[in-house]
Amino acid sequence: GLARILAAAAGLHRAGLVHRNIHAGNVLQRRSGLLPDPMLCEPMSGAAAAPFAAPEMLRGGWPTPATDVWALGVLAYRVLTGHAPFAGTPAAIADQVLTDRPPPPSLLAPGLSRAMEAWLLRALEVDPRDRY
């Protein structure tokens, strides 16, 4: 599931590439679980894009591997808690992304391990230098 998506992104990053477009619509559900589809790269737009846009992108910055880490964090947060880390209109989400931390995932998924919660919160740090 998520491990396969993270491994695919790590492979891109090791090759010096940034995906720039990781979001739920670019992940296929197969019988064997979630699988990133390298041929499926529909651009994000509108309300669907808002939760996956990293703070540096909202500020007009250049994408880096940390930008992909943000999107992977959003995706993992949604999968593991059943909720997006930020909610509301696209403008409200953008404001939250720039200024707030998401609710601790363990509040939404009490069985979540401390290690996974720490990973999720670090992946969603506002400053890209503080992410993995």
Side-chain angles (χ1 to χ4, degrees):
L2 286 172
R4 294 174 91 183
I5 295 168
L6 295 173
L12 285 174
H13 296 164
R14 279 191 301 275
L17 301 171
V18 178
H19 190 282
R20 298 178 19 150
N21 198 28
I22 295 171
H23 61 90
N26 280 349
V27 177
L28 296 179
Q29 175 69 41
R30 296 193 178 162
R31 287 187 182 137
S32 60
L34 295 173
L35 182 68
D37 187 341
M39 300 306 292
L40 179 64
C41 290
E42 293 295 321
M44 292 186 293
S45 63
F52 294 94
E56 61 272 18
M57 298 306 294
L58 294 172
R59 292 184 179 116
W62 193 255
T64 68
T67 307
D68 285 349
V69 169
W70 173 274
L72 291 164
V74 171
L75 184 63
Y77 192 105
R78 290 177 66 173
V79 168
L80 295 170
T81 69
H83 300 275
F86 303 103
T89 66
I93 291 170
D95 286 342
Q96 292 169 44
V97 163
L98 292 170
T99 60
D100 298 340
R101 291 192 54 123
S106 59
L107 291 178
L108 302 168
L112 196 65
S113 73
R114 285 184 179 204
M116 183 55 72
E117 179 168 75
W119 184 91
L120 287 170
L121 293 175
R122 185 169 174 196
L124 295 173
E125 286 286 346
V126 173
D127 188 331
R129 295 171 295 188
D130 294 335
R131 293 182 218 138
Y132 296 96

